[in-house]
Amino acid sequence: MILEALGSALLGFALSWAIAHRLARRLPSRSLVLSTGPAGALVGAFITHMALGPGHAPATLLGAAAVSAALLSLLVRPTRTGLRRSATA
């Protein structure tokens, strides 16, 4: 369980670093992004581990990556060109 937690935290940090590097203009502060990734991965690993039980390390890491990516996607803001108002507004 400790190795799964450490692996999922590292996976979440790597994912958040890649997102922060790639989409820097569309994200809030870098420290928020770099802390959300590992936190989401740890929550995802906990949920997956409780659902599947011990002995499913690859599936636990997959669940950790999925929850981390979902939480990081909530931080992404739309681009300014993507905001369009309707003609009636």
Side-chain angles (χ1 to χ4, degrees):
M1 174 87 184
I2 292 176
L3 289 178
E4 288 176 354
L6 182 63
S8 65
L10 289 174
L11 182 66
F13 182 75
L15 186 61
S16 64
W17 181 83
I19 295 288
H21 181 69
R22 184 103 166 134
L23 301 172
R25 293 182 185 188
R26 295 179 58 192
L27 291 169
S29 69
R30 190 173 180 91
S31 61
L32 177 66
V33 173
L34 292 178
S35 62
T36 301
L42 286 172
V43 169
F46 177 73
I47 292 170
T48 309
H49 182 80
M50 289 297 126
L52 297 177
H56 299 284
T60 301
L61 291 177
L62 184 65
V67 172
S68 179
L71 284 178
L72 287 170
S73 73
L74 294 176
L75 295 176
V76 178
R77 290 180 267 182
T79 60
R80 296 229 181 241
T81 59
L83 297 175
R84 301 196 194 280
R85 293 189 173 228
S86 64
T88 59

